[in-house]
């Protein structure tokens, strides 16, 4: 026979389940009934103080209920990394391994003259230095507290770090890993917008830096200081605007034959799972416009912001890479020239996931090889 105490406990549990179910239902119903969120993303207040879900833009029925991830990244375990590496498909003659662990939020890397690998990070604010001591890699944090120090370069003994709105030089860096000091700001004519404000450095033959400037939202008419690629002289602080109409580029490289700058571009979100395509672009002359926000993928007018523009007004991509593949950069690989002097390989590094819907979150992986600009392109897409 069930005791009175047990009957009371069971009753309380049942009440709790019913109440919990009622609360959950009410929350779901409230979420369904509430008005769509709308942001005034064309204002400086939005650019300087973006909400956590700034990248979503004005909410649609499709987006309702989605929320940005919370909490800092923790990194993958050694076992997780080992399992991931086994799944990566490479061309013949290439291999891959985990070279060093514990480098959280790693972004751009740069080799020092004496074998130190410097690594930038995302919003942790760290710059790391990795030394190989007889096969044992030592990871140390050499800079802290910077504003998204994603882009790095190393030239003439100095480490350059771009942290959203400052390009900083640290002289004689490899000899001063214990104390790099405050460094010297060599260029700061850059907006402080965090959204799409992280940068990447590509160095040309003259030692100038190509720097991308993304708009502080998903889609809209950008402030005049962004949606562009600048070329900056780190010695004098002089700068030139080389490209306009660029959304979000997080990597590129200079063709060692022609000196032209190639860069990847992440296209806008929230048209569909399959459109528009992310791109690989090339600057052939100063001042080219690549379409944003009026035209995407070279042939797709924006449904809201085309405003009478035709895609033929803008420079088309070298290659469309696919929707939401989020290419994280590209590099020329010159050692292939040892086998064939007329060829260069170019590699594009994609993110595994860059969609906003369930379908786009499904990893799509295939290897694609094609001819672009007269030489082979190796492209792995996630």
């Amino acid at each position: 026979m069930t005791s009175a105490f047990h009957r009371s406990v069971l009753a309380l549990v049942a009440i709790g389940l019913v109440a919990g179910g009622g609360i959950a239902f009410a929350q779901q119903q409230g979420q369904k009934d509430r008005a769509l969120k709308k942001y005034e993303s064309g204002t400086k207040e939005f650019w300087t103080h973006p909400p956590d879900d700034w990248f979503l833009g004005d909410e649609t029925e499709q987006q309702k209920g989605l929320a940005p991830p919370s909490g800092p990244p923790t990194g993958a375990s050694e076992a997780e990394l080992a399992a991931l590496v086994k799944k990566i498909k490479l061309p013949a003659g290439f291999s891959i391994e985990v070279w060093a662990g514990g480098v959280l939020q790693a972004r751009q890397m740069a080799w020092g003259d004496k074998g130190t690998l410097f690594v930038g990070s995302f919003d942790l604010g760290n710059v790391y230095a990795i030394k190989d001591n007889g096969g044992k890699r030592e990871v140390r944090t050499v800079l802290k507290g910077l504003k998204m120090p994603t882009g790095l370069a190393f030239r003439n003994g100095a480490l350059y770090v771009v942290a959203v709105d400052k390009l900083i030089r640290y002289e004689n860096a490899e000899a001063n890993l214990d104390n790099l000091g405050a460094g010297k700001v060599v260029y700061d004519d850059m907006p402080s917008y965090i959204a799409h404000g992280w940068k990447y450095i590509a160095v040309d033959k003259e030692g100038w830096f190509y720097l991308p400037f993304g708009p502080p939202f998903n889609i809209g008419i950008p402030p005049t200081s962004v949606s562009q690629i600048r070329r900056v002289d780190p010695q004098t602080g002089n700068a030139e605007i080389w490209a306009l109409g660029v959304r979000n580029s997080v990597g590129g490289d200079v063709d060692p034959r022609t000196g032209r700058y190639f860069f990847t571009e992440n296209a806008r979100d929230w048209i569909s799972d399959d459109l528009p395509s992310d791109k690989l672009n090339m600057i052939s002359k100063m001042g080219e416009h690549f379409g944003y926000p009026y035209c995407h993928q070279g042939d797709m007018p924006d449904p809201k912001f085309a405003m009478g523009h035709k895609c033929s007004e803008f420079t088309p991509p070298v290659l469309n890479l696919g929707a939401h593949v989020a290419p994280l950069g590209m590099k020329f690989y010159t050692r292939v020239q040892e086998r064939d002097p007329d060829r260069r390989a170019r590699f594009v590094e994609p993110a595994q996931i860059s969609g906003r819907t369930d379908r786009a979150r499904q990893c799509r992986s295939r290897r694609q090889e094609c001819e672009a600009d007269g030489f082979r392109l190796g492209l792995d897409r996630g």
Side-chain angles (χ1 to χ4, degrees), residues 28-256:
Q28 291 173 358
Q29 191 64 34
Q31 183 77 2
K32 181 179 179 181
D33 295 340
R34 70 168 173 78
L36 295 175
K37 290 189 290 185
K38 181 175 176 58
Y39 296 116
E40 296 299 330
S41 58
T43 66
K44 190 170 183 179
E45 176 63 23
F46 185 95
W47 309 336
T48 54
H49 300 95
D52 290 340
D53 55 357
W54 63 267
F55 52 85
L56 294 177
D58 289 346
E59 193 176 37
T60 66
E61 287 292 344
Q62 187 183 22
Q63 289 171 266
K64 234 180 191 184
L66 295 182
S70 61
T74 58
S77 67
E78 291 186 10
E80 290 171 327
L81 285 174
L84 176 64
V85 164
K86 288 181 180 179
K87 297 178 181 179
I88 297 175
K89 296 180 180 180
L90 298 170
F94 288 80
S95 62
I96 188 170
E97 64 174 319
V98 178
W99 194 76
V103 189
L104 294 181
Q105 290 195 335
R107 297 293 280 201
Q108 190 174 10
M109 301 177 286
W111 284 106
D113 296 333
K114 299 177 182 178
T116 306
L117 181 64
F118 293 96
V119 186
S121 70
F122 204 60
D123 55 8
L124 286 180
N126 297 336
V127 174
Y128 308 98
I130 307 174
K131 298 281 288 186
D132 190 338
N133 300 317
K136 182 179 180 181
R137 280 101 193 204
E138 175 192 4
V139 179
R140 56 203 297 189
T141 303
V142 293
L143 292 171
K144 295 181 179 180
L146 296 176
K147 187 193 299 184
M148 288 191 171
T150 50
L152 303 184
F154 194 94
R155 283 187 62 79
N156 302 321
L159 173 67
Y160 291 86
V161 179
V162 61
V164 178
D165 56 355
K166 291 180 176 62
L167 176 62
I168 310 167
R169 181 171 62 226
Y170 299 88
E171 296 284 3
N172 201 17
E174 287 184 285
N176 294 289
L177 295 180
D178 291 329
N179 183 12
L180 287 178
K184 179 182 179 181
V185 175
V186 296
Y187 183 68
D188 62 359
D189 184 16
M190 300 183 277
S192 60
Y193 314 139
I194 293 296
H196 288 154
W198 46 89
K199 293 176 176 63
Y200 184 98
I201 301 174
V203 185
D204 69 12
K205 294 178 179 179
E206 287 74 41
W208 287 51
F209 295 171
Y210 284 101
L211 301 178
F213 291 72
F217 38 60
N218 171 34
I219 185 71
I221 301 300
T224 56
S225 58
V226 296
S227 290
Q228 57 191 232
I229 303 286
R230 298 184 198 175
R231 182 173 176 259
V232 176
D233 182 357
Q235 300 303 314
T236 64
N238 292 332
E240 305 166 337
I241 297 176
W242 268 75
L244 299 167
V246 178
R247 184 179 178 270
N248 179 31
S249 176
V250 288
D253 200 9
V254 175
D255 185 335

Side-chain angles (χ1 to χ4, degrees), residues 150-373:
T150 50
L152 303 184
F154 194 94
R155 283 187 62 79
N156 302 321
L159 173 67
Y160 291 86
V161 179
V162 61
V164 178
D165 56 355
K166 291 180 176 62
L167 176 62
I168 310 167
R169 181 171 62 226
Y170 299 88
E171 296 284 3
N172 201 17
E174 287 184 285
N176 294 289
L177 295 180
D178 291 329
N179 183 12
L180 287 178
K184 179 182 179 181
V185 175
V186 296
Y187 183 68
D188 62 359
D189 184 16
M190 300 183 277
S192 60
Y193 314 139
I194 293 296
H196 288 154
W198 46 89
K199 293 176 176 63
Y200 184 98
I201 301 174
V203 185
D204 69 12
K205 294 178 179 179
E206 287 74 41
W208 287 51
F209 295 171
Y210 284 101
L211 301 178
F213 291 72
F217 38 60
N218 171 34
I219 185 71
I221 301 300
T224 56
S225 58
V226 296
S227 290
Q228 57 191 232
I229 303 286
R230 298 184 198 175
R231 182 173 176 259
V232 176
D233 182 357
Q235 300 303 314
T236 64
N238 292 332
E240 305 166 337
I241 297 176
W242 268 75
L244 299 167
V246 178
R247 184 179 178 270
N248 179 31
S249 176
V250 288
D253 200 9
V254 175
D255 185 335
R257 302 170 306 172
T258 66
R260 290 178 175 176
Y261 182 57
F262 286 72
F263 62 96
T264 56
E265 182 184 357
N266 296 352
R268 66 156 294 181
D269 290 319
W270 293 113
I271 289 182
S272 78
D273 286 344
D274 303 310
L275 293 169
S277 177
D278 295 337
K279 302 187 295 179
L280 177 66
N281 299 317
M282 178 192 70
I283 303 174
S284 59
K285 60 182 179 181
M286 190 176 186
E288 285 183 286
H289 197 296
F290 288 85
Y292 179 88
Y294 314 110
C295 174
H296 312 291
Q297 67 181 37
D299 59 4
M300 179 184 173
D302 189 88
K304 179 178 179 181
F305 291 97
M307 297 183 293
H309 287 282
K310 296 180 180 179
C311 288
S312 58
E313 299 174 34
F314 310 111
T315 301
V318 171
L319 187 69
N320 280 324
L321 305 176
H324 308 298
V325 300
L328 297 184
M330 58 81 57
K331 286 291 182 185
F332 284 92
Y333 178 71
T334 57
R335 288 191 64 185
V336 70
Q337 190 184 26
E338 297 171 6
R339 299 188 297 273
D340 185 345
D342 296 324
R343 284 176 52 196
R344 290 287 195 282
R346 182 170 63 224
F347 298 95
V348 179
E349 179 188 1
Q352 280 284 20
I353 302 171
S354 175
R356 300 290 185 245
T357 67
D358 290 338
R359 181 180 175 191
R361 287 195 183 102
Q362 297 171 4
C363 296
R364 292 164 286 185
S365 179
R366 65 180 179 269
R367 174 147 185 90
Q368 174 182 325
E369 291 186 355
C370 59
E371 292 293 322
D373 192 43

Side-chain angles (χ1 to χ4, degrees), residues 5-24:
F5 173 76
H6 287 163
R7 286 197 300 273
S8 300
V9 170
L10 290 172
L12 287 171
V13 169
I15 291 170
L17 289 172
V18 171
I23 292 170

